Every structure is written in C-alpha cells, then in structure tokens.
Amino acid sequence: MSRAAIRYAKAVLSLAQDKKATEDVQKDMQSIIATIDDSAELRMVLNSPLIKNEVKLASLQQIFKSAGDITQKLFDVMIENKRVDLLAEVAGQYIVLFDQLNNSQVAKVTTAVALDKALNTKVLAKIKELTGNEATIENIIDESIIGGFILRVGDLQYNASIAHKLTTLKRELSN
C-alpha cells in the first residue's frame, strides 16, 4: 500500500466526515473497487501514460456518474496530480479507514462449503470475542482445504482447516 494512497484516503474520509457523507462515499469506493477489478480495460486506461488525463477523467465521470460530489472531486484531484493509477488503492484504503472509524471490519472466512446461518452467527461471535469489534463476513469457498475453516481478520489469521492439520501432522511424522 503506497503512502500516497493512504494520504488520499485520509483526506477523502476527513472531507466525507465534514459533509456527513462517509457511508455514501463508502458505497462509491466499493463500486470503484468492484468496477476496476472487473475491467482490465479500465485498469489499462487508468495506468496508461499514453492516454490523456482529460480522457481518463471523462471515462471515470461517465462510468461513475452516480458517484457523489466528494468522489467526483477525488477523481479531479487525482487526475490533476497524475496519481489516478492509485484509485483502486485509495478506494481500498478508504474502506479500511471507514471500518476502523465504525469499529467494524471484514472477516474473510475460507471454508470448503458455504457457511450456513448458525455457523455464520458463531463466527461473528468468535470475531467479537477475539477483536472486540463487530465484523461483516466475506465467505470464500475453497474445496482444497477439505474441511474446517481459515479465519482472517485484519492481521490475524486462524487456520483450522483439515488440510493444514494434515500438513502439520505430516511434518511431525517426518521429523
């Protein structure tokens, strides 16, 4: 994560707090991340030194025409400062800062099968117990872990997968 992206994100969050629009900007940032992740063409436009800044700005304004004023101003500033290639990083950092502000976080739970409602509730309770914060769960399904789960919250990772246990057992037996 670049320091410039963090600075832009902090500035946007500060402005959003002043205008009482942090949640609206949060939605814009989620939209920006999803759109940039889904579009190789948009990534190419934003990163290309051959494409004029006016074209980049017009593209962003057209693609994100439903975005609020604060987000539109971010586009202007980043284009003007020739840092628009950091847009996805800035959006991601904004989301992290927004979650910290609201004592919330995203917990990534990798399981072999989709989480059901009961297990989802248990995982949320465990996260609150471990971190003291509320969380939203992003369930990633990866059949290669065989069973169990891998929980990742911020810097913490707890691996309770069967595949991990088998690897650990194999290592112990080979020693």
Side-chain angles (χ1 to χ4, degrees):
M1 188 64 58
S2 77
R3 289 201 316 253
I6 294 168
R7 284 196 299 270
Y8 278 108
K10 284 180 178 175
V12 171
L13 182 64
S14 177
L15 181 60
Q17 284 176 298
D18 292 347
K19 305 267 186 200
K20 301 196 180 348
T22 54
E23 287 186 22
D24 293 337
V25 174
Q26 161 81 346
K27 289 176 185 141
D28 289 347
M29 296 301 152
Q30 288 174 325
S31 172
I32 288 168
I33 289 172
T35 306
I36 291 175
D37 281 351
D38 290 345
S39 174
E41 195 174 79
L42 179 57
R43 285 193 304 275
M44 190 268 310
V45 167
L46 295 177
N47 293 320
S48 174
L50 303 175
I51 297 174
K52 289 189 169 132
N53 283 335
E54 300 82 44
V55 174
K56 292 179 183 182
L57 182 59
S59 299
L60 288 171
Q61 289 171 337
Q62 189 62 39
I63 293 167
F64 301 106
K65 56 180 160 237
S66 65
D69 290 346
I70 294 171
T71 304
Q72 296 291 343
K73 285 179 185 155
L74 174 66
F75 297 155
D76 293 339
V77 170
M78 292 188 78
I79 291 283
E80 192 177 304
N81 295 337
K82 296 176 177 51
R83 298 310 301 262
V84 76
D85 57 313
L86 296 176
L87 184 59
E89 268 188 75
V90 172
Q93 191 59 41
Y94 178 91
I95 291 169
V96 169
L97 293 171
F98 177 84
D99 287 345
Q100 286 173 353
L101 182 72
N102 294 302
N103 289 328
S104 179
Q105 57 206 345
V106 175
K108 294 184 179 181
V109 180
T110 306
T111 53
V113 295
L115 287 176
D116 63 0
K117 206 172 244 179
L119 198 52
N120 202 36
T121 307
K122 284 181 182 175
V123 171
L124 285 173
K126 189 68 178 170
I127 293 166
K128 181 134 178 82
E129 179 188 313
L130 290 171
T131 66
N133 292 335
E134 296 294 324
T136 54
I137 291 183
E138 180 183 324
N139 188 199
I140 301 161
I141 297 167
D142 179 1
E143 294 173 0
S144 72
I145 70 167
I146 304 169
F149 65 93
I150 301 170
L151 172 64
R152 194 172 284 127
V153 184
D155 296 345
L156 297 172
Q157 178 173 314
Y158 180 71
N159 192 336
S161 67
I162 302 295
H164 176 70
K165 288 177 181 170
L166 289 172
T167 305
T168 306
L169 185 61
K170 183 178 171 186
R171 197 177 305 125
E172 286 175 12
L173 290 173
S174 67
N175 289 340

